[in-house]
Amino acid sequence: MAHTLPTLPYGHDALEPHIDTLTMQIHHGKHHQAYVDNLNKALTGTDGENKSLEELMACISDYTTAVRNNGGGHYNHSLFWSVLTPGGSPLSGNLEAAINETFGSLDALKEKMNTAGTTRFGSGWAWLSVSAGKLVVSSTPNQDNPLMDIAEVKGTPILGIDVWEHAYYLKYQNKRPDYLGAIWNVVNWAEVAKRYEAAL
Ligand code: MN
């Protein structure tokens, strides 16, 4: 079962002005497509052809670097598109309560995520995950993620923020903190909450 590029659930221009149209076109249509194509190539003739993405992540150390990089890239970007939405959606319910209990406030969580993203040297991701029923913030290099058996901080990711330069450079250039400040305007908290409930 070959992997395929998921359709973007909104237009390329829908996250303006926080994420610009050209960045979305290249990020989804070129970068994510390349991860999908290269993952399919890297899996050809291996037992990984019959595994789901999640199953692959759980035993990623058994596979090649190409499967790790491109499988992670496919998983991470599929999650990323789903946790963004034009104008954002409000945080409420159990997830809001858990964020307040764990981090003190939503602003405190944002600050922790932004710190995780700005201090990740080079390319990588900032994550909010559920680990043993608790919320945890972490970051990973390259296209690694908390589902991978090699991850320093393991868990089920419910929100991931791409801090690769390709995610922001056209609009924000070297100013990663400005991108991280803006992206909270388009976070789909309803989707993050759905993933939170499923991960518990
Ligand atoms: Mn990316």
Side-chain angles (χ1 to χ4, degrees):
M1 46 173 192
H3 295 277
T4 56
L5 182 69
T7 307
L8 206 59
Y10 35 78
H12 291 111
D13 61 349
L15 304 180
E16 291 268 11
H18 310 292
I19 304 181
D20 63 285
T21 304
L22 184 58
T23 293
M24 288 299 292
Q25 286 168 339
I26 297 171
H27 201 176
H28 177 257
K30 305 293 183 188
H31 289 285
H32 191 171
Q33 183 70 65
Y35 296 127
V36 170
D37 294 343
N38 290 326
L39 174 62
N40 286 330
K41 257 181 250 168
L43 286 175
T44 302
T46 75
D47 71 333
E49 276 186 306
N50 302 311
K51 284 191 160 76
S52 70
L53 263 183
E54 286 80 0
E55 288 169 338
L56 274 176
M57 299 299 109
C59 56
I60 203 69
S61 59
D62 295 341
Y63 290 88
T64 60
T65 305
V67 172
R68 176 172 166 179
N69 289 340
N70 293 289
H74 180 31
Y75 178 89
N76 296 349
H77 288 83
S78 299
L79 184 147
F80 187 55
W81 312 131
S82 80
V83 296
L84 301 177
T85 196
S89 76
L91 172 65
S92 65
N94 291 339
L95 178 58
E96 183 178 34
I99 285 173
N100 288 337
E101 194 198 336
T102 309
F103 305 104
S105 66
L106 177 57
D107 281 345
L109 165 65
K110 290 176 182 176
E111 201 182 315
K112 209 170 159 82
M113 289 281 288
N114 289 355
T115 299
T118 48
T119 56
R120 168 52 58 190
F121 184 78
S123 298
W125 290 75
W127 300 102
L128 176 64
S129 303
V130 178
S131 181
K134 298 282 185 198
L135 290 171
V136 59
V137 169
S138 67
S139 81
T140 55
N142 305 314
Q143 295 295 356
D144 288 357
N145 64 51
L147 284 181
M148 291 182 173
D149 60 356
I150 45 79
E152 211 172 294
V153 178
K154 294 182 188 63
T156 303
I158 61 173
L159 172 62
I161 297 180
D162 190 345
V163 297
W164 282 58
E165 283 186 344
H166 70 219
Y168 62 85
Y169 204 86
L170 294 179
K171 182 178 172 74
Y172 296 96
Q173 293 83 46
N174 59 314
K175 299 182 286 286
R176 187 186 288 185
D178 289 4
Y179 156 74
L180 286 170
I183 201 164
W184 296 105
N185 294 301
V186 290
V187 168
N188 187 353
W189 285 110
E191 173 65 22
V192 180
K194 209 173 83 184
R195 290 173 178 269
Y196 173 67
E197 300 292 344
L200 284 178

Short mmCIF file of all heavy atoms in Angstrom, two decimals, residues 128-173:
data_model
loop_
_atom_site.label_atom_id
_atom_site.label_comp_id
_atom_site.label_asym_id
_atom_site.label_seq_id
_atom_site.Cartn_x
_atom_site.Cartn_y
_atom_site.Cartn_z
N LEU A 128 3.97 19.05 21.24
CA LEU A 128 3.17 18.81 22.44
C LEU A 128 2.65 17.38 22.31
O LEU A 128 1.99 17.05 21.31
CB LEU A 128 2.00 19.81 22.52
CG LEU A 128 1.04 19.60 23.70
CD1 LEU A 128 1.74 19.82 25.05
CD2 LEU A 128 -0.17 20.54 23.58
N SER A 129 2.98 16.55 23.29
CA SER A 129 2.62 15.14 23.22
C SER A 129 1.93 14.70 24.50
O SER A 129 2.00 15.39 25.52
CB SER A 129 3.87 14.26 23.04
OG SER A 129 4.60 14.64 21.90
N VAL A 130 1.30 13.54 24.41
CA VAL A 130 0.76 12.87 25.58
C VAL A 130 1.65 11.68 25.88
O VAL A 130 1.87 10.82 25.02
CB VAL A 130 -0.69 12.39 25.35
CG1 VAL A 130 -1.20 11.65 26.58
CG2 VAL A 130 -1.59 13.57 25.01
N SER A 131 2.20 11.66 27.11
CA SER A 131 3.08 10.58 27.51
C SER A 131 2.60 10.07 28.86
O SER A 131 2.56 10.84 29.83
CB SER A 131 4.52 11.09 27.60
OG SER A 131 5.37 10.04 27.97
N ALA A 132 2.20 8.80 28.92
CA ALA A 132 1.65 8.21 30.15
C ALA A 132 0.55 9.08 30.74
O ALA A 132 0.50 9.33 31.95
CB ALA A 132 2.77 7.96 31.17
N GLY A 133 -0.31 9.60 29.88
CA GLY A 133 -1.47 10.37 30.32
C GLY A 133 -1.19 11.84 30.62
O GLY A 133 -2.10 12.59 30.96
N LYS A 134 0.10 12.24 30.51
CA LYS A 134 0.49 13.62 30.84
C LYS A 134 0.91 14.38 29.58
O LYS A 134 1.46 13.80 28.64
CB LYS A 134 1.68 13.61 31.81
CG LYS A 134 1.39 12.94 33.15
CD LYS A 134 0.59 13.86 34.06
CE LYS A 134 0.38 13.26 35.43
NZ LYS A 134 -0.72 13.91 36.16
N LEU A 135 0.69 15.70 29.60
CA LEU A 135 1.15 16.55 28.52
C LEU A 135 2.64 16.84 28.68
O LEU A 135 3.10 17.11 29.79
CB LEU A 135 0.38 17.87 28.51
CG LEU A 135 -1.09 17.79 28.10
CD1 LEU A 135 -1.78 19.13 28.34
CD2 LEU A 135 -1.23 17.37 26.64
N VAL A 136 3.37 16.80 27.57
CA VAL A 136 4.80 17.06 27.63
C VAL A 136 5.24 17.81 26.37
O VAL A 136 4.76 17.54 25.28
CB VAL A 136 5.59 15.75 27.85
CG1 VAL A 136 5.33 14.75 26.75
CG2 VAL A 136 7.08 16.01 27.97
N VAL A 137 6.15 18.78 26.55
CA VAL A 137 6.71 19.55 25.44
C VAL A 137 8.12 19.04 25.17
O VAL A 137 8.89 18.78 26.10
CB VAL A 137 6.75 21.06 25.77
CG1 VAL A 137 7.58 21.84 24.75
CG2 VAL A 137 5.33 21.62 25.84
N SER A 138 8.45 18.88 23.87
CA SER A 138 9.80 18.45 23.52
C SER A 138 10.13 18.96 22.13
O SER A 138 9.30 19.60 21.48
CB SER A 138 9.89 16.92 23.54
OG SER A 138 9.10 16.36 22.50
N SER A 139 11.35 18.70 21.69
CA SER A 139 11.68 18.97 20.29
C SER A 139 12.52 17.82 19.76
O SER A 139 13.11 17.06 20.53
CB SER A 139 12.41 20.31 20.15
OG SER A 139 13.77 20.16 20.46
N THR A 140 12.50 17.67 18.44
CA THR A 140 13.27 16.61 17.79
C THR A 140 14.07 17.22 16.63
O THR A 140 13.65 18.24 16.07
CB THR A 140 12.37 15.50 17.20
OG1 THR A 140 11.41 16.11 16.31
CG2 THR A 140 11.65 14.73 18.28
N PRO A 141 15.20 16.61 16.27
CA PRO A 141 15.95 17.07 15.10
C PRO A 141 15.36 16.50 13.81
O PRO A 141 14.63 15.49 13.84
CB PRO A 141 17.35 16.50 15.34
CG PRO A 141 17.09 15.24 16.10
CD PRO A 141 15.87 15.50 16.96
N ASN A 142 15.68 17.15 12.71
CA ASN A 142 15.35 16.63 11.37
C ASN A 142 13.86 16.30 11.25
O ASN A 142 13.01 17.12 11.55
CB ASN A 142 16.24 15.43 11.05
CG ASN A 142 17.71 15.82 11.19
OD1 ASN A 142 18.11 16.87 10.69
ND2 ASN A 142 18.49 15.03 11.89
N GLN A 143 13.52 15.07 10.81
CA GLN A 143 12.11 14.66 10.72
C GLN A 143 11.76 13.60 11.76
O GLN A 143 10.79 12.87 11.60
CB GLN A 143 11.77 14.18 9.30
CG GLN A 143 11.87 15.24 8.23
CD GLN A 143 10.86 16.37 8.40
OE1 GLN A 143 10.00 16.36 9.29
NE2 GLN A 143 10.96 17.38 7.54
N ASP A 144 12.54 13.54 12.82
CA ASP A 144 12.19 12.61 13.91
C ASP A 144 10.93 13.10 14.61
O ASP A 144 10.53 14.27 14.46
CB ASP A 144 13.33 12.54 14.94
CG ASP A 144 14.55 11.79 14.40
OD1 ASP A 144 14.48 11.29 13.27
OD2 ASP A 144 15.56 11.74 15.12
N ASN A 145 10.28 12.23 15.37
CA ASN A 145 9.10 12.61 16.15
C ASN A 145 8.97 11.71 17.38
O ASN A 145 9.67 10.69 17.49
CB ASN A 145 7.84 12.56 15.26
CG ASN A 145 7.52 11.17 14.76
OD1 ASN A 145 7.46 10.23 15.55
ND2 ASN A 145 7.35 11.01 13.46
N PRO A 146 8.10 12.10 18.33
CA PRO A 146 8.01 11.38 19.61
C PRO A 146 7.48 9.95 19.50
O PRO A 146 7.57 9.18 20.47
CB PRO A 146 7.04 12.25 20.44
CG PRO A 146 7.14 13.60 19.83
CD PRO A 146 7.31 13.36 18.37
N LEU A 147 6.92 9.57 18.33
CA LEU A 147 6.45 8.18 18.16
C LEU A 147 7.61 7.23 17.88
O LEU A 147 7.46 6.01 18.02
CB LEU A 147 5.48 8.10 16.97
CG LEU A 147 4.07 8.61 17.15
CD1 LEU A 147 3.30 8.40 15.84
CD2 LEU A 147 3.35 7.91 18.30
N MET A 148 8.75 7.80 17.47
CA MET A 148 9.87 6.93 17.07
C MET A 148 10.53 6.27 18.27
O MET A 148 10.70 6.91 19.32
CB MET A 148 10.91 7.75 16.29
CG MET A 148 10.42 8.19 14.94
SD MET A 148 11.73 9.10 14.05
CE MET A 148 10.93 9.28 12.44
N ASP A 149 10.94 5.02 18.10
CA ASP A 149 11.58 4.29 19.20
C ASP A 149 12.92 4.91 19.59
O ASP A 149 13.41 4.65 20.68
CB ASP A 149 11.72 2.79 18.87
CG ASP A 149 12.55 2.53 17.62
OD1 ASP A 149 12.97 3.50 16.95
OD2 ASP A 149 12.79 1.34 17.32
N ILE A 150 13.47 5.76 18.73
CA ILE A 150 14.75 6.40 19.03
C ILE A 150 14.57 7.79 19.67
O ILE A 150 15.56 8.46 19.96
CB ILE A 150 15.65 6.51 17.77
CG1 ILE A 150 14.84 7.01 16.57
CG2 ILE A 150 16.27 5.18 17.41
CD1 ILE A 150 14.56 8.44 16.49
N ALA A 151 13.33 8.23 19.86
CA ALA A 151 13.09 9.58 20.37
C ALA A 151 13.55 9.70 21.83
O ALA A 151 13.33 8.80 22.63
CB ALA A 151 11.62 9.94 20.27
N GLU A 152 14.16 10.84 22.15
CA GLU A 152 14.61 11.12 23.52
C GLU A 152 13.39 11.21 24.44
O GLU A 152 13.38 10.68 25.54
CB GLU A 152 15.34 12.45 23.50
CG GLU A 152 16.46 12.61 24.50
CD GLU A 152 17.23 13.89 24.23
OE1 GLU A 152 17.88 14.00 23.16
OE2 GLU A 152 17.13 14.80 25.06
N VAL A 153 12.36 11.95 23.99
CA VAL A 153 11.10 12.08 24.74
C VAL A 153 10.01 11.41 23.91
O VAL A 153 9.65 11.89 22.84
CB VAL A 153 10.74 13.56 24.98
CG1 VAL A 153 9.41 13.69 25.70
CG2 VAL A 153 11.86 14.26 25.77
N LYS A 154 9.50 10.27 24.40
CA LYS A 154 8.50 9.53 23.64
C LYS A 154 7.09 9.91 24.07
O LYS A 154 6.86 10.31 25.21
CB LYS A 154 8.72 8.03 23.81
CG LYS A 154 10.02 7.53 23.21
CD LYS A 154 10.15 6.03 23.39
CE LYS A 154 11.54 5.54 22.97
NZ LYS A 154 12.63 6.12 23.81
N GLY A 155 6.16 9.76 23.16
CA GLY A 155 4.76 10.05 23.47
C GLY A 155 3.96 10.05 22.18
O GLY A 155 4.47 9.73 21.11
N THR A 156 2.68 10.39 22.32
CA THR A 156 1.81 10.53 21.16
C THR A 156 1.68 12.01 20.84
O THR A 156 1.10 12.76 21.62
CB THR A 156 0.41 9.96 21.46
OG1 THR A 156 0.56 8.60 21.87
CG2 THR A 156 -0.49 10.02 20.22
N PRO A 157 2.25 12.47 19.72
CA PRO A 157 2.20 13.89 19.41
C PRO A 157 0.77 14.34 19.08
O PRO A 157 0.05 13.66 18.35
CB PRO A 157 3.11 14.04 18.19
CG PRO A 157 3.21 12.68 17.60
CD PRO A 157 2.98 11.70 18.71
N ILE A 158 0.35 15.46 19.68
CA ILE A 158 -0.98 16.01 19.37
C ILE A 158 -0.88 17.38 18.70
O ILE A 158 -1.84 17.85 18.10
CB ILE A 158 -1.88 16.07 20.63
CG1 ILE A 158 -1.30 16.99 21.71
CG2 ILE A 158 -2.10 14.67 21.19
CD1 ILE A 158 -2.25 17.21 22.90
N LEU A 159 0.29 18.01 18.80
CA LEU A 159 0.55 19.28 18.11
C LEU A 159 2.03 19.31 17.74
O LEU A 159 2.88 19.07 18.60
CB LEU A 159 0.21 20.47 19.03
CG LEU A 159 0.59 21.87 18.53
CD1 LEU A 159 -0.13 22.22 17.24
CD2 LEU A 159 0.29 22.92 19.61
N GLY A 160 2.31 19.55 16.48
CA GLY A 160 3.69 19.64 16.03
C GLY A 160 3.89 20.93 15.26
O GLY A 160 3.03 21.31 14.47
N ILE A 161 5.00 21.63 15.52
CA ILE A 161 5.32 22.85 14.79
C ILE A 161 6.64 22.68 14.08
O ILE A 161 7.67 22.39 14.69
CB ILE A 161 5.34 24.08 15.75
CG1 ILE A 161 3.94 24.26 16.35
CG2 ILE A 161 5.77 25.33 14.98
CD1 ILE A 161 3.82 25.43 17.29
N ASP A 162 6.57 22.82 12.78
CA ASP A 162 7.71 22.65 11.89
C ASP A 162 8.63 23.86 12.02
O ASP A 162 8.19 24.99 11.78
CB ASP A 162 7.16 22.55 10.45
CG ASP A 162 8.21 22.12 9.44
OD1 ASP A 162 9.41 22.16 9.76
OD2 ASP A 162 7.80 21.75 8.32
N VAL A 163 9.89 23.65 12.42
CA VAL A 163 10.81 24.79 12.49
C VAL A 163 11.93 24.68 11.45
O VAL A 163 12.97 25.33 11.58
CB VAL A 163 11.37 25.03 13.92
CG1 VAL A 163 10.24 25.38 14.87
CG2 VAL A 163 12.16 23.85 14.44
N TRP A 164 11.72 23.86 10.42
CA TRP A 164 12.64 23.87 9.28
C TRP A 164 12.54 25.25 8.61
O TRP A 164 11.46 25.83 8.54
CB TRP A 164 12.25 22.80 8.26
CG TRP A 164 12.64 21.41 8.61
CD1 TRP A 164 12.30 20.72 9.74
CD2 TRP A 164 13.43 20.52 7.82
NE1 TRP A 164 12.84 19.45 9.69
CE2 TRP A 164 13.54 19.31 8.53
CE3 TRP A 164 14.07 20.64 6.58
CZ2 TRP A 164 14.25 18.22 8.04
CZ3 TRP A 164 14.78 19.54 6.08
CH2 TRP A 164 14.87 18.35 6.81
N GLU A 165 13.65 25.73 8.06
CA GLU A 165 13.60 27.03 7.38
C GLU A 165 12.58 27.03 6.24
O GLU A 165 11.97 28.06 5.95
CB GLU A 165 14.99 27.42 6.85
CG GLU A 165 15.90 27.93 7.96
CD GLU A 165 17.23 28.47 7.46
OE1 GLU A 165 17.59 28.18 6.30
OE2 GLU A 165 17.90 29.17 8.24
N HIS A 166 12.37 25.88 5.60
CA HIS A 166 11.42 25.86 4.47
C HIS A 166 9.98 26.19 4.93
O HIS A 166 9.14 26.49 4.11
CB HIS A 166 11.48 24.52 3.69
CG HIS A 166 10.95 23.32 4.42
ND1 HIS A 166 11.55 22.08 4.34
CD2 HIS A 166 9.87 23.13 5.22
CE1 HIS A 166 10.87 21.20 5.06
NE2 HIS A 166 9.84 21.80 5.60
N ALA A 167 9.74 26.12 6.24
CA ALA A 167 8.40 26.41 6.76
C ALA A 167 8.14 27.91 6.89
O ALA A 167 6.99 28.32 7.03
CB ALA A 167 8.21 25.73 8.12
N TYR A 168 9.21 28.73 6.86
CA TYR A 168 9.00 30.16 7.17
C TYR A 168 9.91 31.13 6.44
O TYR A 168 9.70 32.33 6.48
CB TYR A 168 9.13 30.39 8.67
CG TYR A 168 10.50 30.06 9.26
CD1 TYR A 168 11.53 31.00 9.24
CD2 TYR A 168 10.78 28.81 9.80
CE1 TYR A 168 12.78 30.71 9.77
CE2 TYR A 168 12.02 28.51 10.33
CZ TYR A 168 13.02 29.45 10.32
OH TYR A 168 14.25 29.15 10.83
N TYR A 169 10.94 30.63 5.75
CA TYR A 169 12.02 31.53 5.30
C TYR A 169 11.57 32.59 4.31
O TYR A 169 12.06 33.72 4.34
CB TYR A 169 13.19 30.72 4.72
CG TYR A 169 14.49 31.48 4.81
CD1 TYR A 169 15.27 31.41 5.97
CD2 TYR A 169 14.93 32.29 3.77
CE1 TYR A 169 16.45 32.13 6.08
CE2 TYR A 169 16.10 33.02 3.88
CZ TYR A 169 16.86 32.93 5.04
OH TYR A 169 18.02 33.66 5.15
N LEU A 170 10.65 32.28 3.41
CA LEU A 170 10.23 33.24 2.39
C LEU A 170 9.62 34.48 3.01
O LEU A 170 9.82 35.59 2.53
CB LEU A 170 9.22 32.60 1.43
CG LEU A 170 9.75 31.46 0.56
CD1 LEU A 170 8.63 30.90 -0.32
CD2 LEU A 170 10.91 31.93 -0.31
N LYS A 171 8.86 34.30 4.08
CA LYS A 171 8.20 35.44 4.73
C LYS A 171 9.00 35.99 5.90
O LYS A 171 9.07 37.20 6.09
CB LYS A 171 6.80 35.02 5.20
CG LYS A 171 6.01 36.17 5.85
CD LYS A 171 4.62 35.73 6.27
CE LYS A 171 3.92 36.81 7.07
NZ LYS A 171 3.46 37.93 6.27
N TYR A 172 9.58 35.11 6.68
CA TYR A 172 10.21 35.54 7.94
C TYR A 172 11.74 35.56 7.89
O TYR A 172 12.38 35.98 8.85
CB TYR A 172 9.74 34.64 9.09
CG TYR A 172 8.25 34.74 9.35
CD1 TYR A 172 7.35 33.82 8.80
CD2 TYR A 172 7.73 35.76 10.14
CE1 TYR A 172 5.99 33.92 9.02
CE2 TYR A 172 6.38 35.87 10.38
CZ TYR A 172 5.51 34.94 9.82
OH TYR A 172 4.15 35.04 10.04
N GLN A 173 12.33 35.07 6.79
CA GLN A 173 13.79 34.95 6.65
C GLN A 173 14.39 34.28 7.90
O GLN A 173 13.93 33.23 8.28
CB GLN A 173 14.43 36.32 6.37
CG GLN A 173 14.04 36.89 4.99
CD GLN A 173 12.71 37.59 5.03
OE1 GLN A 173 12.46 38.38 5.93
NE2 GLN A 173 11.84 37.32 4.06
#
